[in-house]
Amino acid sequence: MFVLIVGRDLERRSELAETLAQLGLEWKVEWVGETAEAMALLEGRGVDVIAVDGGEARGVDLLRRAREKHPQAVRLLLLPPGAEPSASAIDIAHRHLGLPLQAGALVEAVEGIGELFEVLDNPDLKAKVGAIAQLPPAPDTYLAISKALADPNVGAAQVVQMLSRDPALVAKVLRVCNSAFFSGGRPVADLKAAVVRLGLETLRRVVLAAEALSANNGPEAEAIRRRAFFASQLASRLLPGPSAEMASTAALLAELGRLLPGFRDARGDDGQASYADAGAWLLGLWGLPMPIVEGVAFHLQPARSRQRGFWIPGAVHVAHALVGGIALDEAWLDAAGLRDKLPEWQRLAGKLADLETA
């Protein structure tokens, strides 16, 4: 495996080499300090993993080029403590790691993404999805808004203009905005008011819900939507900081696979593809950021994710368990050392439930 690390933080070289040797991993690691040098390497040979310091000039461009040249490579963005990834970085990077780079975190991230790729390459999943006559269309407006928000010059007026081109979607968005989960008891009359009330990031998530979850009707679909909105609000509070938005979006879409024929009750207990696998596969097909895909793929069994600590799969799992959609994985909770956090999470879920019924 060839690993390319781009950045000036070279003090971790010996630690990484030592960790790889201890684990018996035969990785060839090359560190470079400049994006231009890294770009030349990408053009000249294959890359399995690329990790780029987010502070480097053209760092996101480098990850984008890696995706074009080597689409199967694991793409990692390295961020200093407290830094948040840009919208464009979220779309490009599979995962974000902290600086200074820790050898264990790097190995874990690479193995975790490999595990996710295996989920999406499941033959049973591909066969079942292939038998579906018509897959739900990609949420084009959501993807367009996401791309637009990566431009710092785009503001609320442009987003409202984009949405206004689809009156049917506008009606769905306003309906979601006026639900108890988002309105706070105050009606939202138009898109401009929705932007002011919710903010652009939350509005983007509402658009995604309107596009992805509103195609199906009936009592079961409505129950899925209600759980999705509740779990989305809860997940963003369970995982504060840079990952909160992605956790919220993953929780919103966690049961998307249950809207696909043949996956309604499939939980993967018998070794077959679950509705979580199906939802993750569809999101990957749509081109949503990989951390969101990972959160959906592993939310039924968070222990399958190799990410240390409490991250997106765990937050989505806990949110949906407290909403009542799935059973809480008690063994994972104890193994992760999170048991003491459960009472506070339960209180938080109770407060959100009270707001919904108020």
Side-chain angles (χ1 to χ4, degrees):
M1 180 178 290
F2 178 59
V3 181
L4 177 61
I5 302 176
V6 186
R8 302 180 184 278
D9 179 26
L10 306 182
E11 63 188 55
R12 300 286 173 172
R13 283 183 175 182
S14 58
E15 178 196 345
L16 177 59
E18 182 179 343
T19 299
L20 295 177
Q22 291 174 349
L23 296 174
L25 296 174
E26 297 181 357
W27 291 9
K28 175 178 173 53
V29 181
E30 185 153 354
W31 298 67
V32 298
E34 302 292 340
T35 54
E37 184 181 357
M39 195 73 77
L41 281 171
L42 286 179
E43 300 297 328
R45 64 162 301 169
V47 174
D48 299 297
V49 179
I50 179 170
V52 179
D53 187 331
E56 289 294 311
R58 299 180 63 208
V60 173
D61 290 339
L62 183 59
L63 289 180
R64 185 176 291 109
R65 184 57 178 164
R67 182 177 65 180
E68 295 170 356
K69 291 286 292 184
H70 313 288
Q72 295 303 316
V74 173
R75 300 182 299 275
L76 306 172
L77 187 70
L78 310 178
L79 296 172
E84 297 192 15
S86 65
S88 57
I90 288 175
D91 287 338
I92 295 297
H94 287 132
R95 191 174 287 178
H96 313 107
L97 300 182
L99 285 172
L101 178 62
Q102 304 290 327
L106 174 64
V107 172
E108 195 169 67
V110 171
E111 292 184 345
I113 295 298
E115 179 86 13
L116 178 59
F117 287 166
E118 290 179 11
V119 167
L120 300 182
D121 199 35
N122 183 331
D124 177 65
L125 173 63
K126 288 184 175 181
K128 286 184 177 178
V129 172
I132 298 174
Q134 185 175 3
L135 288 172
D140 291 333
T141 303
Y142 165 80
L143 295 172
I145 290 175
S146 296
K147 183 178 181 179
L149 290 181
D151 183 347
N153 297 317
V154 171
Q158 290 95 324
V159 171
V160 169
Q161 185 177 18
M162 292 172 65
L163 282 173
S164 298
R165 297 169 187 164
D166 187 342
L169 180 59
V170 169
K172 291 179 181 178
V173 168
L174 290 178
R175 178 186 174 193
V176 173
C177 285
N178 283 300
S179 70
F181 299 99
F182 295 104
S183 70
R186 295 169 295 170
V188 180
D190 55 55
L191 279 176
K192 184 177 180 180
V195 172
V196 172
R197 173 79 58 79
L198 301 175
L200 288 175
E201 287 297 339
T202 301
L203 180 67
R204 177 168 65 164
R205 198 163 65 249
V206 169
V207 170
L208 179 60
E211 287 192 286
L213 299 178
S214 299
N216 298 72
N217 295 310
E220 183 180 27
E222 181 59 29
I224 289 174
R225 282 192 286 271
R226 290 185 64 81
R227 286 196 299 269
F229 296 146
F230 193 164
S232 176
Q233 297 288 298
L234 182 55
S236 66
R237 290 162 172 79
L238 296 177
L239 193 68
S243 297
E245 177 65 26
M246 288 188 290
S248 182
T249 303
L252 184 74
L253 300 171
E255 292 189 84
L256 178 64
R258 297 187 68 181
L259 300 178
L260 297 176
F263 287 100
R264 186 182 65 181
D265 299 316
R267 294 179 176 267
D269 298 330
D270 55 358
Q272 302 300 307
S274 68
Y275 67 76
D277 298 335
W281 188 91
L282 184 58
L283 296 177
L285 188 68
W286 287 349
L288 266 71
M290 194 58 71
I292 295 174
V293 177
E294 185 172 3
V296 172
F298 296 138
H299 84 276
L300 289 178
Q301 299 171 303
R304 292 176 66 190
S305 172
R306 294 176 181 261
Q307 177 75 14
R308 284 184 295 182
F310 186 65
W311 198 52
I312 294 173
V316 179
H317 171 75
V318 171
H320 273 272
L322 296 183
V323 167
I326 58 176
L328 184 65
D329 188 334
E330 303 277 353
W332 164 79
L333 193 71
D334 290 330
L338 298 169
R339 175 67 65 176
D340 62 333
K341 295 184 178 295
L342 183 58
E344 177 57 32
W345 291 340
Q346 290 170 328
R347 283 193 291 271
L348 185 55
K351 289 180 180 179
L352 286 174
D354 289 343
L355 289 175
E356 179 198 358
T357 57

